[in-house]
Amino acid sequence: MNIKILACLIAGALACGAAAVPPAVAEQIQSLRGGASVDEPDQAPPVYPIKEGRNFERSFRDQPPLIPHRIDKYEIDLKVNQCLRCHDWPNNTQEHAPLISVAHFLDRDGKKLDRVAPQRWVCTSCHVTQADAKALVPNRFRSEMDR
């Protein structure tokens, strides 16, 4: 490495250390955990039950459908996708499951494929299970259906 570049990096690191937060300000900064010490265990968040048996309405156009059943034991990896066992043709009719969209069979260039496109293989990238969970942060979101 060039000696001049190394000298500049060291000088920059030293300058950043000199601009540390003053102690009076540091005492006013509080962590997201409040006054809890670092060694104190954090309380586990509540686990919300998955809503099975009915489908939630979509909240906006082109929203990926929510999954109305448990999937915690489903295997999705490079070789196996258990979602396709029920949702791919022709098994979907026997299983009474919705058929996956034809868009899942198009590659990035729009070319039709005989199998699910690789970029659509991991279903849980877009689809999540339904749950009656409270919002993590306050928001003013309203469904398009409510407008």
Side-chain angles (χ1 to χ4, degrees):
M1 180 180 261
N2 190 333
I3 299 293
K4 289 181 181 179
I5 295 174
L6 184 59
C8 288
L9 289 173
I10 292 172
L14 291 173
C16 289
V21 178
V25 175
E27 290 176 12
Q28 295 174 358
I29 297 174
Q30 199 174 64
S31 76
L32 293 175
R33 293 180 52 167
S37 87
V38 176
D39 298 331
E40 188 177 322
D42 198 9
Q43 182 179 359
V47 177
Y48 294 97
I50 294 170
K51 299 295 271 185
E52 294 191 69
R54 71 175 180 89
N55 292 338
F56 285 4
E57 296 293 323
R58 296 185 196 195
S59 299
F60 55 91
R61 186 187 338 257
D62 297 328
Q63 174 188 355
L66 298 173
I67 303 169
H69 56 79
R70 300 186 70 80
I71 61 165
D72 49 346
K73 305 251 193 266
Y74 280 33
E75 182 179 2
I76 301 174
D77 59 31
L78 288 174
K79 297 182 186 214
V80 177
N81 181 331
Q82 287 188 303
C83 301
L84 298 178
R85 186 182 70 220
C86 295
H87 293 280
D88 199 1
W89 182 85
N91 298 337
N92 70 304
T93 54
Q94 298 158 357
E95 298 293 333
H96 304 291
L99 178 63
I100 55 178
S101 166
V102 293
H104 290 68
F105 294 91
L106 300 176
D107 69 5
R108 288 191 169 115
D109 299 324
K111 180 183 168 194
K112 289 184 181 181
L113 305 173
D114 291 336
R115 310 181 114 170
V116 172
Q119 68 267 23
R120 302 282 194 140
W121 182 256
V122 181
C123 306
T124 53
S125 294
C126 298
H127 302 277
V128 297
T129 52
Q130 306 179 134
D132 269 337
K134 65 178 182 173
L136 296 175
V137 294
N139 69 72
R140 296 185 303 237
F141 174 80
R142 287 186 1 209
S143 168
E144 284 186 357
M145 305 300 187
D146 297 339
R147 295 175 192 219

